[in-house]
Amino acid sequence: MGVSSTTPHLLRAARGEVVDRPPVWMMRQAGRYMKAYRDLREQYPSFRERSEIPDVAIEVSLQPWKAFQPDGVILFSDIVTPLPGLGIDMDIAEGKGPIISSPLRTQEQIDRLHPLEPEATLPFIKTILQALRSEVGDKSTVLGFVGAPWTLAAYAVEGKGSKTYSIIKNMAFSDPTILHQLLAKLADAIAIYARYQIDSGAQVVQMFDSWAGQLSPQDYDTFALPYQQRVFQQVKQTHPDTPLILLVSGSAGVLERMAQSGADIVSVDWAVDMADARARLGKQVKVQGNLDPGVLFGSKQFIRDRILDTVRKAGNWGHILNLGHGVLPETPEENVAFFFETAKELNLAGVKG
Ligand code: CP3
């Protein structure tokens, strides 16, 4: 497939082309910091409605596009959205996050999981992604996303978010055979889901292994990395040209390992200096990030200085400008607007490689 001059900016950079400025988007760019989102939330109080009724999810996904014209428009959804399709019931509670009513703790429960059939259980995803693509055209890149096996297993086993991950670590360190079966089933389902998103219009897919940063490096090598690789390999087999991004929260200790996952782009948080991240990841790996979301509470001059600092350290190739994690709900919308305006005025001509 030829890359025409109308290929959007983010997709070009993600494929390794030299571009005049780094493309920019923000994680959680649709959400609570926007008044338009808070207003719509009053009409649709349930997260599952907001993310699964196509017209509502399309509108929410496009709110930041209409306000700021980011280079990436991400599907409004959640990493746990495909779980009911495997037979894992879930809801997303206000202020708490995902809740699994019958957490997976036994061999029997894992045996009962079924393969994912996205056409049957996630048809709304296709409708949403197709609409986003036709709305943004060549002006922006549509991103899909999935949760990684370890992080989805953490929700499925714990039943909700956790600070200590005691239940899944108990399983990992005392009965790993069941957990490995669960991780393998999740990896295959996630690969199917990522392919379905790409077939429906996603041009880049980001995988969130949010809770893999809770593992020691040796446990990351056992419970996270092999299953990240399993997902990425399966997706690359059928969709070799779709750039894949990997994010781990608190990834400073495992950056080099993330580079072995098969991801094209590693998302870097603010615990690492971007210049160090570049040096540790090597020349082939593209990067995303890495501003502290809290920077958007600073003055305009401060925000500008931090953007310039990250861009200089990332160099003139293979960088997608982003926050290191989701934008915080208390962030002033005006500062988000300033972040995008400033990023779009950059020119990499003076930046060293
Ligand atoms: O980036 C985007 O704009 C896409 C939207 C998106 C959501 N969840 C919407 C959402 C994405 C990419 C996610 C991924 C997700 N969900 C992750 C990985 C990213 C990360 O944070 O590390 C995780 C761990 C989840 C699980 C989850 N869902 C949590 C922890 C929460 C937050 C609970 C809270 O209220 O703070 C949710 C709910 C959720 N998903 C919200 C949003 C915008 C907040 C609830 C709301 O706005 O109504």
Side-chain angles (χ1 to χ4, degrees):
M1 205 170 42
V3 178
S4 74
S5 59
T6 54
T7 303
H9 211 88
L10 191 151
L11 187 55
R12 279 164 49 211
R15 287 178 174 163
E17 280 184 55
V18 174
V19 289
D20 55 350
R21 61 171 178 84
V24 59
W25 69 287
M26 275 186 353
M27 285 179 268
R28 296 274 164 99
Q29 71 189 5
R32 286 168 288 191
Y33 76 96
M34 287 190 82
K35 183 175 186 306
Y37 178 82
R38 295 193 302 270
D39 288 349
L40 198 122
R41 199 167 59 161
E42 279 175 22
Q43 237 178 306
Y44 298 95
S46 132
F47 185 92
R48 289 198 61 179
E49 279 180 357
R50 288 197 294 286
S51 55
E52 297 181 21
I53 299 173
D55 285 348
V56 185
I58 293 163
E59 187 178 339
V60 174
S61 307
L62 291 174
Q63 284 174 342
W65 165 244
K66 289 179 179 152
F68 316 114
Q69 290 82 51
D71 293 304
V73 171
I74 189 164
L75 160 77
F76 187 75
S77 184
D78 200 85
I79 56 170
V80 294
T81 299
L83 294 184
L86 301 173
I88 305 171
D89 236 26
M90 67 82 189
D91 204 1
I92 296 180
E94 192 68 51
K96 288 207 182 97
I99 308 280
I100 311 296
S101 49
S102 309
L104 299 187
R105 310 265 165 89
T106 65
Q107 178 73 53
E108 213 190 1
Q109 284 172 298
I110 289 159
D111 291 341
R112 273 205 305 265
L113 296 177
H114 28 90
L116 188 69
E117 291 179 40
E119 296 278 358
T121 58
L122 297 158
F124 51 90
I125 293 294
K126 178 180 263 174
T127 315
I128 299 164
L129 284 168
Q130 284 176 341
L132 296 182
R133 268 303 284 287
S134 81
E135 183 71 29
V136 307
D138 294 332
K139 296 198 193 75
S140 189
T141 298
V142 172
L143 293 112
F145 71 93
V146 296
W150 168 261
T151 294
L152 289 183
Y155 278 114
V157 170
E158 297 280 340
K160 54 185 183 342
S162 170
K163 285 204 167 73
T164 56
Y165 299 88
S166 301
I167 306 172
I168 191 168
K169 286 190 177 177
N170 183 332
M171 199 187 260
F173 303 150
S174 69
D175 199 359
T177 331
I178 314 192
L179 182 57
H180 282 294
Q181 290 172 39
L182 174 60
L183 289 166
K185 285 195 176 193
L186 287 170
D188 295 343
I190 293 159
I192 291 170
Y193 184 40
R195 287 167 163 167
Y196 181 68
Q197 291 190 8
I198 299 168
D199 291 338
S200 303
Q203 295 160 292
V204 173
V205 174
Q206 175 155 326
M207 184 157 80
F208 288 94
D209 210 347
S210 302
W211 311 136
Q214 299 289 327
L215 291 167
S216 70
Q218 63 175 319
D219 296 320
Y220 183 96
D221 285 344
T222 307
F223 298 105
L225 180 63
Y227 299 99
Q228 294 164 358
Q229 291 169 333
R230 184 161 167 161
V231 175
F232 286 148
Q233 265 164 20
Q234 289 182 31
V235 176
K236 286 284 181 193
Q237 254 165 31
T238 46
H239 299 79
D241 297 328
T242 304
L244 304 172
I245 310 175
L246 177 64
L247 175 138
V248 169
S249 297
S251 60
V254 293
L255 267 192
E256 293 83 355
R257 287 172 162 83
M258 291 173 76
Q260 295 166 27
S261 66
D264 302 283
I265 300 151
V266 168
S267 202
V268 177
D269 70 24
W270 57 98
V272 182
D273 187 273
M274 186 53 110
D276 295 339
R278 276 292 203 193
R280 287 172 59 191
L281 288 165
K283 290 243 181 291
Q284 309 303 316
V285 179
K286 298 162 201 120
V287 291
Q288 173 176 270
N290 72 336
L291 275 82
D292 180 345
V295 162
L296 297 182
F297 295 126
S299 68
K300 297 209 161 66
Q301 189 55 50
F302 183 81
I303 295 169
R304 197 185 153 72
D305 286 347
R306 288 301 177 91
I307 292 174
L308 289 173
D309 182 58
T310 291
V311 170
R312 283 193 194 108
K313 286 172 173 164
N316 65 5
W317 174 86
H319 174 220
I320 297 172
L321 181 63
N322 203 324
L323 304 175
H325 200 251
V327 57
L328 298 166
E330 304 80 6
T331 308
E333 272 182 75
E334 191 194 331
N335 290 2
V336 171
F338 181 78
F339 172 77
F340 281 115
E341 281 160 26
T342 307
K344 291 173 94 180
E345 283 164 8
L346 293 171
N347 192 323
L348 286 173
V351 174
K352 291 204 184 79

